[in-house]
Each structure stands twice: as structure tokens, then as C-alpha cells.
Amino acid sequence: MKVRDAMTKEVKVAREDSTIEYVANEMKNLNIGSIPVCDINNKLLGIVTDRDIVVRGLSQGKGGNYTIKDVMTTNPVSVSPETSIHEATDIMSQNQIRRLPVVDNGTLVGILAIGDVAVRDNFIDQAGDALSSISEPSKPSM
């Protein structure tokens, strides 16, 4: 099975100049924890998570009027629609992330969440293994 078969195709995106407050409210309204950041042509520029907003934003004195560009993760890990589900869950595990933007020639075409994999009967074990690895505490670098 390929990522294209399991990904969410309708994805809410933010622009770099969106305010932290606007994106946080979108996350709340949609009950999601991350939003890809794209330009007007849907080229993936980054991703912002609820954790980014707190750790890189609010805890650093950047309130709701700052822009997402101030707190987003640039150059996010992503996959193509043709990536296998097995490879995608390995990438999630290795990078300790729960959501992968799906890009085709740099353009966002979807997002694959660990939950998208977990609801597929033949991938329940892989999703569980990936979630275990994602949830492990990071080892401090020496």
C-alpha cells in the first residue's frame, strides 16, 4: 500500500504571514495538532505544531500577533504519494513525528498521520511500532 491510499487529501494550510493566534484557533476549531505552511501555489515551506507555538512562540515572548514564520519548522520531513506505508512509518519512527506532509514536486498534496495508518487492519502493528518509537523520550546529545 502506498501513502496516496491512506493520506488525508483535504489539508488546511497556513501562510507564513498568518498570525500565531489565527493558526492556534484553526488548530482548536479543527481539533488538529499541526498545520503545513505553504505559499500561494501550495509549495510546502514548513509545518507548525501546537508544540512549536508554545515552545518557540509563547515561551519566548512571541504572542498571538507574531507570524507563523517566527515559530514554524522549516524544511519538514515529507514523503511522496508513492512512498510505501512501511517506509513512511519508518520515517515517522526515525524522526519521532506523528504527521508527514505528502508532496509531489514540492507541492503539498496531502498529509499522512499515524492515525491514518492505524485504522488500516493490515498496518495496525506497524502503526503501533511507529507510535512506540515516536513516543520514546529523545536521547540527549553529548
Side-chain angles (χ1 to χ4, degrees):
M1 179 179 278
K2 303 285 186 187
V3 166
R4 70 176 139 66
D5 301 316
M7 71 183 190
T8 299
K9 294 176 182 148
E10 297 295 318
V11 180
K12 175 69 177 178
V13 300
R15 305 285 180 234
E16 285 183 307
D17 61 351
S18 299
T19 65
I20 291 173
E21 180 179 13
Y22 171 79
V23 174
N25 280 320
E26 287 295 298
M27 287 179 178
K28 180 182 96 174
N29 293 338
L30 297 169
N31 194 29
I32 56 176
S34 70
I35 295 181
V37 181
C38 297
D39 68 12
I40 60 170
N41 298 313
N42 237 26
K43 180 180 178 209
L44 183 65
L45 304 173
I47 193 163
V48 64
T49 65
D50 45 8
R51 187 172 193 281
D52 291 332
I53 290 172
V54 172
V55 173
R56 294 183 186 156
L58 300 176
S59 72
Q60 302 297 313
K62 296 175 183 169
N65 291 326
Y66 279 79
T67 63
I68 286 307
K69 186 175 182 177
D70 297 316
V71 298
M72 72 182 194
T73 298
T74 56
N75 301 314
V77 176
S78 63
V79 294
S80 89
E82 297 306 310
T83 304
S84 73
I85 294 291
H86 178 75
E87 184 179 349
T89 57
D90 284 349
I91 290 168
M92 288 176 172
S93 294
Q94 292 164 5
N95 292 281
Q96 292 190 310
I97 54 178
R98 297 171 190 257
R99 297 165 201 91
L100 279 171
V102 183
V103 296
D104 190 9
N105 294 319
T107 300
L108 184 74
V109 294
I111 197 155
L112 182 72
I114 194 70
D116 296 327
V117 178
V119 297
R120 308 274 178 183
D121 286 341
N122 48 338
F123 290 103
I124 290 173
D125 290 340
Q126 275 185 284
D129 292 345
L131 187 56
S132 280
S133 294
I134 293 165
S135 301
E136 285 179 5
S138 299
K139 294 177 179 63
S141 48
M142 299 277 173

